[in-house]
Amino acid sequence: MQSPALFPLFYLPPVSYFSALSQHDYIFELEKFEHFPKQTFRNRATVVSPNGPLNLFLPVVKGSKFHTTMKDVRISYDFKWQRLHWLTLQTCYRNSAYFEYYEDDFAGFFEKQHEFLFDHNLEIMDWLFKQLKKKVDFQFTTEFVKDPEVVADYRDRSMFKTDAAHPAKPYFQVFDDRNGFLPNMSIVDLLFNQGPQSKSFL
């Protein structure tokens, strides 16, 4: 019998990530032992700004980009990225329908300092599932396997960069009068705009 689908662990993942999870009934394993790849959603998120898509980068300690196991990647606090991310999210979503509904809980992620990226992302992921009313039993890999016998392997760095494989129907977004609908933004874009209805869009 094959193992569940295999997923990387992202920072504020795109909507397509959750669409893929839903296709596997949220039965999956999270990869802990891969080498940390650069320029992926593992430490980046894309939100909607007045000028279109905006990337938020979570900095990692120098050296983490070279053959460091994902579970061992450390977050850098050399500059106040948490304050920058939180101010950006407030600027982008203050006028959305549900930002205030989630604000108090969500703000805590930009005050607490985790040492490791994996732990930081996992705590946010747990919170996101709770907002989506999904009870998930987290499972993790115990070693890195290049070609695992799994239902589906989503670890490739090109996965989730577009929503072509997991398209979502349009929903109202702040600034859609300027940008039109922007697909595959961070899941927080869906939450802040659709609130408890978000799970029906996945």
Side-chain angles (χ1 to χ4, degrees):
M1 182 177 177
Q2 285 187 318
S3 298
L6 188 56
F7 281 77
L9 182 58
F10 289 165
Y11 170 54
L12 304 179
V15 170
S16 61
Y17 182 94
F18 288 88
S19 295
L21 284 172
S22 70
Q23 291 183 4
H24 297 285
D25 295 322
Y26 297 90
I27 300 173
F28 62 97
E29 286 185 344
L30 290 171
E31 176 61 73
K32 291 184 71 173
F33 292 90
E34 64 180 351
H35 285 163
F36 177 68
K38 296 185 293 183
Q39 299 181 342
T40 71
F41 290 117
R42 288 161 181 81
N43 66 323
R44 188 187 76 204
T46 306
V47 298
V48 175
S49 79
N51 299 314
L54 176 66
N55 287 323
L56 300 177
F57 293 94
L58 192 160
V60 297
V61 172
K62 187 176 181 181
S64 293
K65 298 178 181 178
F66 301 98
H67 306 296
T68 302
T69 303
M70 179 63 187
K71 69 180 183 64
D72 295 323
V73 173
R74 286 178 164 82
I75 298 173
S76 172
Y77 295 98
D78 288 345
F79 78 93
K80 296 182 178 180
W81 64 267
Q82 288 175 296
R83 183 174 184 274
L84 175 63
H85 284 202
W86 183 236
L87 288 175
T88 300
L89 288 165
Q90 290 183 83
T91 299
C92 292
Y93 294 107
R94 174 59 66 194
N95 293 326
S96 64
Y98 291 93
F99 181 81
E100 291 185 357
Y101 180 82
Y102 297 108
E103 181 178 8
D104 290 345
D105 282 348
F106 198 55
F109 295 116
F110 302 93
E111 298 167 356
K112 183 177 180 180
Q113 291 192 356
H114 287 89
E115 180 178 3
F116 295 101
L117 177 65
F118 194 90
D119 296 337
H120 174 271
N121 289 356
L122 185 63
E123 187 170 324
I124 292 180
M125 184 72 80
D126 184 53
W127 181 83
L128 288 169
F129 279 128
K130 289 175 181 175
Q131 311 320 306
L132 295 169
K133 310 300 181 187
K134 294 295 180 182
K135 187 176 181 180
V136 173
D137 181 19
F138 287 111
Q139 303 290 328
F140 307 97
T141 59
T142 56
E143 62 180 342
F144 179 78
V145 178
K146 184 177 180 180
D147 297 307
E149 293 186 6
V150 294
V151 173
D153 185 352
Y154 290 92
R155 297 173 302 174
D156 186 278
R157 63 173 19 180
S158 64
M159 287 282 188
F160 308 114
K161 288 191 175 181
T162 71
D163 70 335
H166 307 283
K169 58 184 177 181
Y171 55 88
F172 173 80
Q173 292 174 322
V174 180
F175 310 121
D176 67 348
D177 57 329
R178 306 184 194 185
N179 302 321
F181 176 70
L182 298 175
N184 205 34
M185 297 294 100
S186 168
I187 189 68
V188 297
D189 181 76
L190 180 62
L191 278 175
F192 293 155
N193 285 300
Q194 297 298 315
Q197 304 173 54
S198 296
K199 64 179 182 179
S200 67
F201 283 81
L202 301 174

